[in-house]
Structures are given as structure tokens and as C-alpha cells.
């Protein structure tokens, strides 16, 4: 079965056994005719000789480990596989890869359909494969296949370890004030696996998962530069360092085939950039590939892994990972540098069966000339067949290797990078934990109860001490985008009207927008009228209810309030005031009334009073009373004129 470790093999068809066994260049492998399994393997598996059986094979392979010493033990639901099934066993293939679940393929020749009938290999039956006390695989039956080919019948069992369940289904949930290792522990709690999780240290105020657990754990691996694998039924989440004693393999007498490929087409330095909104500054993290951990140290590859002559030209700047601060930017840069180191060197080999070779271990290759050195294993295939036990390994990248994949950043789950509709759930109180002007929203279209981190709100003209401060209200529907597609960095773009929440009047008339209005929660408004009729054009300021208005039009300025509402216009000590009773008071240092024609003062009683002097002058002065007139003074009354006429 051709295997690509970078693909999710949970969904590949079983039974395609092309490339099943490691191939020695001098002895090509063919699977064509029917033959008999050597009695040695049958005897080793069951302890006694069995009748020959037909298998699809003309299986030629290099001399491998002694069969009797390496025959695997297979247990189904805790019991050893029965002799009948062992007698029909053709091939066992176990494959494991960093950041992927392990899989076992067990092939039987079953011409009489004796074991393909449901029973022993029923779905979810546990399967454990071990050799010499070392567990190579522990999982359960997830699929079966019956294959007919030129008169032979093969029954193939597919078993996956417990980590395969990580790829099933998807979840949307949030984590607050946690480390990444805390999140991984929480995610794995329901899968029934033992765990060995290396602490990550940095506390994240907010993380959101939107997709399968497998996608999210792999994304977290990218963020901190970790790997994961399942070892002896234990889920290991750790940095790519040698957690085991290096496994020694001698090219002169253990390796059938060993190939090393390297390239200098990679950056010498990685830089991750982002924006730290809390500090209003850019953040940058850098890492040199020369300082990356677990670099292959063979002399053959060193000049290509550390190309000093290209270092000034091959720097990669990446702005797609959205670090929250400088610490995270540095971690992302180091993880990216490690990924490029893995891509720069690919080593593949086939050797005598070695159960100690596992994904995540380091191989120490000896007697391979300049290719001798240490290599970090990312994929392993253990194969048992009639010739014995072989191990195929790959040291290289554990994911896609193209530049496009790298620049696209980590894989994203559902809704990642898209705009989504949200409903406001909270307004920030202006503390460090709740920055002023921020809101929280829930995402009803993604999942019930999923709430965002504190989100900034787009503001017209927003800046230091300026801009519109129109925050949405709790329960308002809003449109939310995510900075660089990172759901930890939501931004509210604006509010949305719907069939329930309406503005009342959109100001549309005959296909044109006549009015534009800003309206507050209580109904206070500022309206701009662009009516075709100039008499209707205005700017109007009104309180809720429309009884308190100031309207500036081309033909009139109208300020109106209900009766009993006082009006005061004040400039320093100068005041124009209309009282609740309707009294008008003008007060100021000097008040001047001028008219190009007439000034008329009228009332039931008119009183003119001056504290010092009252002067009235005109070409003609007339004081007239229709009934009675009094002229009096507390002192002297003087009446002067060229001629004085009394009566």
C-alpha cells in the first residue's frame, strides 16, 4: 500500500499493497503468482508444522532478521490469535508517523472464507502486535476488506490506534488563560490514552478551536514547534528533541538500502512579524536555521543545511501566523526554522527489523561515508512477511514541503479566515484585562456557547483622542472578521440590521437616498436631508420623540422645545435665558439694540430703569399718556428749552 505520511491515512482504502515491502536494488519485489509460505514461518508462529497455503506472492526480499527470533505476537481482545488464523497470516505492516495516528494492516490468505466471516476481527476489537516483548502497535479494528485476485482470496484487516479518533468530527470551543500543554491535556481527556505532555510555559489569554482535534493539535504543534506521536499506547506531546537513546544502525551489515537527499533551496533565517495591539507596536521573532535543534550532522549535508554563502540572500519573512506578542513571535520563528531544516534533508532507509526505531527517535547511522551521522525519524514502517522482519524509516519533514504551504501558515478549521456573524455579549470595562472600547461576541452560526476573545471595533477616524465612538449594544448582531485569519484576533466591522432590528426609516424615496440619519439607542438622532426640494433640505438634531429639535434649513433655522422647558444661551457672564414660565432675560455688560427702521417695546407694563443715568435723545422726543402722566423727582426737576410750553 503506497503511503503518504503527510495525508490523513484514516480515509485511504485498505488492501492496496503496492510498495508493501522494502525493496533492495538488486532484488526487485514482485507480487504475482501463488506459492506456499515456508514451513519455518508457520512453525515459528504456531510451534508446529502446518499444511502449505496459497498466498499472492512471488515475494523476493533481501535476507532479513531470523524469522523465529522476530515473529510477532498478535493479540485480539487480549487473547493470542488462534492457530488457524496464524496459519493463514501472510503479511503484517505497521506504519507510524509524527503527527499522525499509527495503523496496522494484517493480510491473511483465506480461500475458504474461514476467518473473513465476522467474529474475531469485529469492529472495535482490540489489536496488539508485539515482538520480543516490545509493543509495536496497539489499537482496534476499524476496517476489513475481502480481495479476490486470480483465484486467491485475501482478507485484510485494518486497525488504527486510539489517536485516529482525533480526526473524527469537529468542535468549536474556547480556552482562556491556559498553556498549550493544558489545552492538549483537556483535549485528550476523553480518548482513553495515557499521556506524556511536555509543559509549554507561556499562558495564552485566549485560544479557539474550530475543526477536528487532530487539526487543532497539529496547529498547536506548529505554534510552539512541538511534535506528537503514540508510543506504547501513550500519547507523547513534546519538543523535537531526542527523548530516547540514539538508535545505532550500521550501514555495512544492517542496512539494505540508505538514501540521503539534501538541498540548499531554503532560507537561512526565518522572521515572523505581527502586530501587538496592546502595545500598539510591531512584534518580530527571528531564528537562524544554523541554530535549529536536531539538524542532521552528517558532513554530506552540513554545507546545504547551513549555506553561509546564501545566508544574506535567503531570508524568509512570514506575516501569516499572527503572533500575539514578542515571545510567541520568537517561538513561531524557531518552529518555522526547524520545519525548514527538516525539509532540507530527507533520509530514507531499509534495515533488518528493529523495533527500537520509532517516530520521534534519532538514528545514528554508521559506516555510510560522509552520510554517517544523526537523523531525526519522522516515519517508520515495520513489515513482517514470509522472509521475516524489515523496518523502513524516513527522516525528513512531517508535513507538506512546498513554499506555498509554508507561507499559508498552519491548517485551519471550519470558519477560519472567514467573516462570521456574531452577537454582542459583553462590553469591556476599561481595565487591562478588558480594554476600553472592546466587546465580546458569540458565534451562533459556528456553535452554541462559543464566545470570542475581546474584540476591537472598527471606528471611523479612530485615533488618539479622536474618532467615532459608536459601540454596539449587548445582543446587537455584528459582522466579525479575524486579523490574518486568526480567530484569537476578532475585529467587529459593524452592526447589521435584520428583520427584527430595523432603523424605522432607511430614507429611500423613488430609488434614491433622501435622508441619512445617526440614531442612538434611545432614539436621539442627527439627520441629513438631501431632498431634491431645497425647502426640505436640512440638518436636524432631535431628541427622542421629536419635540426637542434644532433644524437648520436653507430657508429657516428652527429651534423648538415643549412649553415649560427653559432655554439658556450663555457666553461667559453674558446670558440669554428663557425661563420655565416663559420669561426672557438678557444680561451682559452692554446690551445694544439697533434697527434700521423701528423698535417697538410693548406690554401691559413697561419699566425702564437705570441705576445711574437714563438718557433719551432724538430730533423729536414725544412722551404721551392717554390717561395720566406723572413727572417727579426726589430732588430738583429742571425743564429747559428755547421755549417751554405748559398746557
Amino acid at each position: 500500500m503506497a503511503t503518504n505520511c503527510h495525508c490523513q491515512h484514516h480515509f485511504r482504502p485498505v488492501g492496496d499493497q503496492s510498495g508493501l515491502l522494502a525493496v533492495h536494488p538488486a532484488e526487485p519485489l514482485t507480487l504475482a503468482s501463488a506459492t506456499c509460505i515456508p514451513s519455518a514461518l508457520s512453525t515459528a508462529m504456531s510451534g508446529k508444522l502446518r499444511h502449505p497455503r496459497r498466498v499472492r506472492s512471488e515475494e523476493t526480499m533481501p535476507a532479513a532478521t531470523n524469522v523465529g527470533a522476530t515473529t510477532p505476537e498478535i493479540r485480539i481482545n487480549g487473547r493470542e490469535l488462534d492457530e488457524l488464523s496464524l496459519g493463514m497470516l501472510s503479511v503484517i505492516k505497521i506504519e507510524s508517523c509524527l503527527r499522525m495516528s499509527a495503523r496496522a494492516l494484517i493480510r491473511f490468505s483465506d480461500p475458504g472464507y474461514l476467518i473473513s466471516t465476522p467474529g474475531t476481527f469485529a469492529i472495535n476489537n482490540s489489536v496488539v502486535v508485539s515482538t520480543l516483548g516490545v509493543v509495536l502497535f496497539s489499537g482496534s479494528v476499524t476496517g476489513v476488506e475481502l480481495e479476490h485476485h486470480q483465484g486467491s482470496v485475501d482478507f485484510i484487516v485494518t486497525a488504527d490506534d486510539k489517536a485516529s479518533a482525533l480526526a473524527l468530527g469537529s468542535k468549536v470551543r474556547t480556552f482562556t488563560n491556559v498553556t498549550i500543554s493544558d489545552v492538549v491535556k483537556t483535549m485528550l481527556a476523553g480518548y482513553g490514552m495515557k499521556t506524556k505532555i511536555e509543559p509549554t510555559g507561556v499562558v495564552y489569554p485566549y485560544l479557539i478551536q474550530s475543526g477536528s482535534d487532530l487539526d487543532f493539535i497539529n496547529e498547536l504543534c506548529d505554534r510552539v514547534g512541538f511534535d506528537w506521536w503514540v508510543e506504547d499506547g501513550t500519547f507523547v506531546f513534546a519538543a523535537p528533541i531526542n527523548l530516547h537513546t540514539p538508535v545505532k544502525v550500521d550501514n555495512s551489515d544492517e542496512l539494505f538500502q540508505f538514501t540521503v537527499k539534501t538541498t540548499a533551496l531554503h532560507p537561512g533565517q526565518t522572521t515572523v512579524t505581527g502586530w501587538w495591539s496592546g502595545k500598539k507596536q510591531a512584534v518580530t521573532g527571528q531564528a537562524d536555521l544554523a541554530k535549529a535543534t536536531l539538524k542532521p550532522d552528517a558532513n554530506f549535508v552540513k554545507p546545504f543545511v547551513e549555506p553561509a554563502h546564501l545566508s544574506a540572500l535567503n531570508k524568509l519573512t512570514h506575516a501569516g501566523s499572527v503572533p500575539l506578542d514578542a515571545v510567541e513571535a520568537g517561538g513561531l520563528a524557531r518552529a518555522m526554522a526547524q520545519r525548514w531544516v527538516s525539509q532540507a534533508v530527507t533520509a530514507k532507509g531499509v534495515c533488518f527489523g528493529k523495533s527500537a526505531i520509532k517516530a520521534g527517535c534519532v538514528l545514528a547511522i554508521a559506516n555510510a561515508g560522509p552520510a554517517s551521522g544523526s537523523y531525526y525519524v519522522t516515519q517508520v514502517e515495520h513489515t513482517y512477511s514470509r522472509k521475516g522482519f524489515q523496518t523502513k524509516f524516513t527522516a525528513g519533514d512531517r508535513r507538506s514541503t512546498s513554499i506555498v504551504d509554508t507561507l499559508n501558515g498552519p491548517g485551519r478549521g471550519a470558519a477560519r479566515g472567514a467573516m462570521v456573524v456574531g452577537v454582542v455579549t459583553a462590553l469591556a470595562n476599561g481595565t487591562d484585562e478588558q480594554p476600553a472600547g472592546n466587546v465580546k461576541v458569540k458565534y451562533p452560526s459556528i456553535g452554541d456557547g462559543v464566545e470570542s476573545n475581546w474584540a476591537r471595533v472598527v471606528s471611523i477616524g479612530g485615533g488618539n483622542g479622536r474618532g467615532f465612538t459608536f459601540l454596539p449594544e449587548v445582543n446587537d448582531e455584528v459582522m466579525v472578521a479575524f486579523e490574518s485569519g486568526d480567530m484569537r484576533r476578532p475585529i467587529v466591522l459593524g452592526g447589521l440590521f435584520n428583520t427584527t432590528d430595523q432603523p424605522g426609516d432607511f430614507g429611500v424615496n423613488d430609488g434614491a437616498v433622501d435622508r441619512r440619519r445617526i440614531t442612538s439607542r434611545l432614539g436621539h438622532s442627527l439627520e441629513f436631508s438631501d431632498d431634491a426640494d431645497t425647502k426640505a433640505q436640512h440638518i436636524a438634531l432631535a431628541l427622542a420623540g421629536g419635540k426637542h429639535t434644532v433644524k437648520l434649513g436653507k430657508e429657516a433655522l428652527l429651534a423648538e422645545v415643549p412649553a415649560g422647558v427653559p432655554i439658556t444661551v450663555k457666553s461667559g457672564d453674558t446670558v440669554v435665558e428663557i425661563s420655565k414660565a416663559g420669561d426672557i432675560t438678557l444680561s451682559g455688560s452692554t446690551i445694544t439694540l439697533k434697527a434700521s427702521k423701528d423698535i417697538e417695546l410693548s406690554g401691559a407694563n413697561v419699566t425702564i430703569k437705570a441705576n445711574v443715568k437714563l438718557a433719551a435723545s432724538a430730533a423729536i422726543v414725544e412722551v404721551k399718556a392717554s390717561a395720566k402722566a406723572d413727572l417727579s423727582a426726589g430732588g430738583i426737576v429742571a425743564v429747559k428749552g428755547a421755549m417751554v410750553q405748559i398746557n
Side-chain angles (χ1 to χ4, degrees):
M1 184 181 77
T3 304
N4 180 356
C5 182
H6 308 306
C7 296
Q8 293 193 12
H9 58 207
H10 307 84
F11 308 106
R12 64 193 165 187
V14 296
D16 177 9
Q17 296 298 308
S18 59
L20 179 63
L21 303 179
V23 180
H24 190 283
E27 299 185 50
L29 176 69
T30 61
L31 299 174
S33 62
T35 186
C36 297
I37 187 168
S39 60
L41 182 57
S42 298
T43 302
M45 289 180 172
S46 65
K48 62 182 181 179
L49 184 66
R50 293 189 175 80
H51 294 293
R53 61 182 178 80
R54 297 176 66 199
V55 296
R56 270 184 53 214
S57 115
E58 187 182 42
E59 294 164 311
T60 63
M61 90 190 288
T65 306
N66 178 267
V67 173
T70 60
T71 301
E73 178 184 78
I74 303 175
R75 289 184 173 272
I76 307 298
N77 284 342
R79 301 178 60 182
E80 288 190 37
L81 192 64
D82 62 85
E83 293 187 0
L84 175 64
S85 299
L86 280 174
M88 297 179 178
L89 181 65
S90 174
V91 174
I92 303 174
K93 179 179 178 182
I94 299 168
E95 53 186 12
S96 60
C97 180
L98 292 179
R99 304 192 186 184
M100 293 299 300
S101 61
R103 166 167 286 187
L105 294 173
I106 308 174
R107 178 181 285 266
F108 300 89
S109 178
D110 188 20
Y113 308 106
L114 298 178
I115 60 174
S116 56
T117 302
T120 301
F121 297 101
I123 188 170
N124 290 329
N125 279 2
S126 67
V127 178
V128 177
V129 181
S130 59
T131 180
L132 300 178
V134 178
V135 175
L136 296 180
F137 174 83
S138 177
S140 59
V141 176
T142 56
V144 293
E145 181 176 346
L146 196 61
E147 182 181 288
H148 299 80
H149 181 78
Q150 296 181 353
S152 66
V153 179
D154 280 5
F155 175 60
I156 306 103
V157 177
T158 300
D160 291 287
D161 67 15
K162 291 182 178 180
S164 63
L166 294 170
L168 303 178
S170 63
K171 299 181 180 72
V172 180
R173 52 181 169 174
T174 60
F175 306 86
T176 57
N177 298 317
V178 291
T179 64
I180 283 179
S181 53
D182 291 335
V183 173
V184 175
K185 288 179 183 177
T186 300
M187 295 174 68
L188 295 176
Y191 288 97
M193 289 184 286
K194 297 179 180 178
T195 59
K196 183 178 180 181
I197 299 175
E198 181 179 328
T200 52
V202 177
V203 175
Y204 288 79
Y206 180 89
L207 292 169
I208 183 169
Q209 174 186 355
S210 177
S212 70
D213 287 340
L214 175 65
D215 287 338
F216 192 48
I217 288 180
N218 284 340
E219 179 184 330
L220 297 178
C221 283
D222 284 336
R223 194 160 289 280
V224 293
F226 276 27
D227 285 323
W228 72 264
W229 62 93
V230 177
E231 181 178 326
D232 296 339
T234 298
F235 187 100
V236 182
F237 180 80
I241 60 175
N242 186 16
L243 300 179
H244 315 86
T245 301
V247 179
K248 297 180 180 180
V249 179
D250 195 319
N251 182 55
S252 63
D253 59 6
E254 293 183 278
L255 284 170
F256 305 140
Q257 182 177 325
F258 182 57
T259 303
V260 180
K261 180 175 66 175
T262 184
T263 178
L265 298 179
H266 59 80
Q269 182 186 83
T270 58
T271 299
V272 172
T273 62
W275 179 253
W276 191 355
S277 60
K279 297 286 187 179
K280 195 180 178 181
Q281 66 184 35
V283 293
T284 301
Q286 290 185 338
D288 293 326
L289 268 67
K291 298 179 181 179
T293 59
L294 292 177
K295 296 189 306 296
D297 57 7
N299 292 333
F300 180 70
V301 302
K302 276 186 177 180
F304 294 86
V305 177
E306 304 174 13
H309 61 289
L310 293 177
S311 61
L313 302 175
N314 59 349
K315 297 180 180 180
L316 174 67
T317 298
H318 179 48
S321 297
V322 199
L324 294 179
D325 52 33
V327 173
E328 188 176 0
L332 287 168
R334 288 189 294 274
M336 189 174 295
Q338 184 63 51
R339 189 193 310 169
W340 278 105
V341 165
S342 299
Q343 294 174 8
V345 179
T346 301
K348 296 184 177 182
V350 183
C351 67
F352 290 120
K354 270 188 174 293
S355 57
I357 299 178
K358 304 175 181 180
C361 78
V362 173
L363 289 185
I365 305 295
N367 294 318
S372 299
S374 299
Y375 298 87
Y376 182 52
V377 177
T378 55
Q379 182 181 4
V380 177
E381 295 179 4
H382 294 302
T383 304
Y384 294 85
S385 73
R386 72 183 190 88
K387 281 291 187 178
F389 175 24
Q390 281 191 334
T391 297
K392 179 189 294 186
F393 60 85
T394 299
D397 191 23
R398 77 279 290 152
R399 54 176 294 154
S400 301
T401 58
S402 72
I403 292 177
V404 172
D405 290 330
T406 300
L407 295 182
N408 280 341
R412 309 198 185 279
R416 297 296 303 264
M419 290 189 292
V420 298
V421 172
V423 176
V424 177
T425 59
L427 306 178
N429 60 19
T431 63
D432 290 340
E433 293 77 19
Q434 302 182 22
N438 288 12
V439 301
K440 278 193 174 184
V441 300
K442 63 181 179 181
Y443 307 117
S445 62
I446 297 178
D448 293 337
V450 179
E451 190 176 57
S452 75
N453 196 8
W454 287 108
R456 293 190 289 166
V457 179
V458 172
S459 176
I460 299 174
N464 185 17
R466 65 182 186 278
F468 281 43
T469 55
F470 281 82
L471 295 180
E473 299 277 353
V474 171
N475 291 326
D476 279 357
E477 182 182 350
V478 294
M479 180 60 72
V480 185
F482 304 99
E483 186 178 341
S484 295
D486 189 338
M487 292 188 74
R488 299 175 305 163
R489 308 283 289 266
I491 297 176
V492 174
L493 302 181
L496 300 172
F497 294 119
N498 50 56
T499 55
T500 300
D501 300 327
Q502 289 282 318
D505 183 5
F506 284 98
V508 177
N509 184 26
D510 293 334
V513 181
D514 285 346
R515 293 178 308 284
R516 291 168 174 84
R517 177 181 294 177
I518 300 170
T519 305
S520 74
R521 173 172 54 86
L522 295 180
H524 309 317
S525 65
L526 174 62
E527 181 180 270
F528 301 86
S529 174
D530 296 330
D531 198 286
D533 184 355
T534 57
K535 293 181 179 180
Q537 295 174 8
H538 62 260
I539 298 174
L541 178 66
L543 295 184
K547 295 181 179 180
H548 304 70
T549 63
V550 176
K551 188 182 229 183
L552 172 62
K554 284 193 172 183
E555 298 189 357
L557 169 62
L558 174 64
E560 183 177 3
V561 295
V565 176
I567 297 175
T568 301
V569 180
K570 188 173 183 180
S571 175
D573 294 330
T574 302
V575 179
V576 178
E577 184 175 7
I578 302 174
S579 71
K580 291 182 178 181
D583 298 333
I584 300 175
T585 301
L586 304 178
S587 61
S589 57
T590 300
I591 297 176
T592 302
L593 298 178
K594 282 187 177 182
S596 59
K597 290 186 177 181
D598 298 331
I599 293 178
E600 180 177 331
L601 299 177
S602 63
N605 297 288
V606 177
T607 301
I608 300 175
K609 183 179 180 180
N611 293 330
V612 179
K613 180 180 180 180
L614 174 63
S617 64
I620 298 173
V621 176
E622 181 178 316
V623 179
K624 184 177 180 181
S626 60
K628 178 182 178 182
D630 290 329
L631 178 63
S632 65
I636 300 172
V637 176
V639 180
K640 295 181 180 182
M643 180 180 293
V644 175
Q645 180 178 339
I646 299 176
N647 202 8

